[in-house]
Amino acid sequence: MLRYVYANDLYQYPQLAASMFRDRADQFKTRLGWEVSVDEHGFEKDQYDELNPLYVIWENADGSHGGSMRFLPTTGRTMVNEHFSHVIGGGEVRSPLIWECTRFCLSRTASSRMAALLVVACGEVMHHFNVEHFVGVFDARMVRIYRMLGASPDVLGRDGAGRDQVSVGLWHYDAADRNKVLRRAGVSLALSQLWFDRSFGADDAQDLAQSA
């Protein structure tokens, strides 16, 4: 199932949180060779994990992590504005209607539909938090994945070439996109909404949206 969990509440899901941070270390450090920090527990964390981001996490039947993403409003600190501003010509992306999405991570054992399930969660976040766009940094390997999902972004800027190219993208996710991704993920809209409501409840989500 999909869980929506703020960083301050991750302590309630110790196995899920630990396996997420270990899978992040495995993906970003071991497999991709990024210059990220891994602590003594084998966790990959950075300064943005300290800002109480919202995580979307697929929880496997055994309570472990299958895939995840991290969200922060662009009205506060973001990776795009603090580290990748040069990619978009030195500007910034700031709006209450735009959230940053980072740390798109899949475990080694993730099913073929895991990426689509995470994109389904993007639709729920947009719908319930009154978000119109996501902004994020992505590398060349993600281009094919986004195209396969039917979720290719508008590219705001690129830096580098080939496999080392880094881009900043802006995603809009309308009702037609949502329905396509739901079909790819093999879940109904009702089930997707149930997963969200189990994490927040509709009234709580609206309150959070107004205070974000």
Side-chain angles (χ1 to χ4, degrees):
M1 66 175 290
L2 286 168
R3 286 196 182 276
Y4 301 77
V5 187
Y6 277 99
N8 288 349
D9 297 321
L10 279 177
Y11 72 91
Q12 299 179 48
Y13 309 96
Q15 180 186 358
L16 185 62
S19 55
M20 176 179 71
F21 290 123
R22 289 195 181 104
D23 280 343
R24 277 176 38 173
D26 179 51
Q27 176 170 310
F28 300 122
K29 183 76 170 181
T30 304
R31 287 185 272 164
L32 296 179
W34 290 7
E35 294 182 6
V36 295
S37 297
V38 177
D39 67 17
E40 66 275 14
H41 304 293
F43 295 173
E44 187 281 305
K45 290 185 176 183
D46 65 15
Q47 58 188 308
Y48 301 99
D49 291 302
E50 305 303 317
L51 301 179
N52 196 32
L54 174 65
Y55 299 100
V56 171
I57 312 171
W58 177 265
E59 182 178 7
N60 294 320
D62 64 358
S64 65
H65 166 266
S68 56
M69 299 178 294
R70 180 179 69 186
F71 296 94
L72 282 167
T74 60
T75 50
R77 293 181 56 203
T78 61
M79 186 179 291
V80 166
N81 290 335
E82 295 184 350
H83 296 281
F84 294 94
S85 177
H86 66 283
V87 179
I88 54 175
E92 290 188 338
V93 178
R94 292 194 186 276
S95 169
L97 302 178
I98 303 174
W99 282 16
E100 180 183 63
C101 178
T102 56
R103 290 305 193 257
F104 187 101
C105 177
L106 302 177
S107 75
R108 286 181 183 259
T109 59
S111 69
S112 58
R113 67 187 185 116
M114 184 59 62
L117 285 164
L118 293 178
V119 178
V120 165
C122 289
E124 295 297 338
V125 172
M126 279 189 164
H127 176 71
H128 290 284
F129 288 90
N130 299 322
V131 176
E132 292 185 358
H133 294 87
F134 292 129
V135 66
V137 179
F138 62 96
D139 59 20
R141 73 187 174 88
M142 292 300 297
V143 173
R144 178 183 61 83
I145 295 173
Y146 293 143
R147 188 181 299 121
M148 176 186 68
L149 293 171
S152 296
D154 294 324
V155 177
L156 302 182
R158 295 185 175 91
D159 183 53
R163 295 180 63 183
D164 296 325
Q165 186 176 79
V166 173
S167 303
V168 173
L170 192 69
W171 284 262
H172 178 66
Y173 195 44
D174 61 25
D177 294 329
R178 193 181 191 189
N179 290 332
K180 285 188 291 186
V181 173
L182 283 165
R183 288 195 296 271
R184 286 189 175 93
V187 299
S188 67
L189 179 59
L191 180 56
S192 177
Q193 292 176 337
L194 176 62
W195 286 333
F196 186 92
D197 290 342
R198 282 180 173 175
S199 295
F200 290 121
D203 292 338
D204 290 343
Q206 184 61 33
D207 292 341
L208 286 165
Q210 293 173 351
S211 64

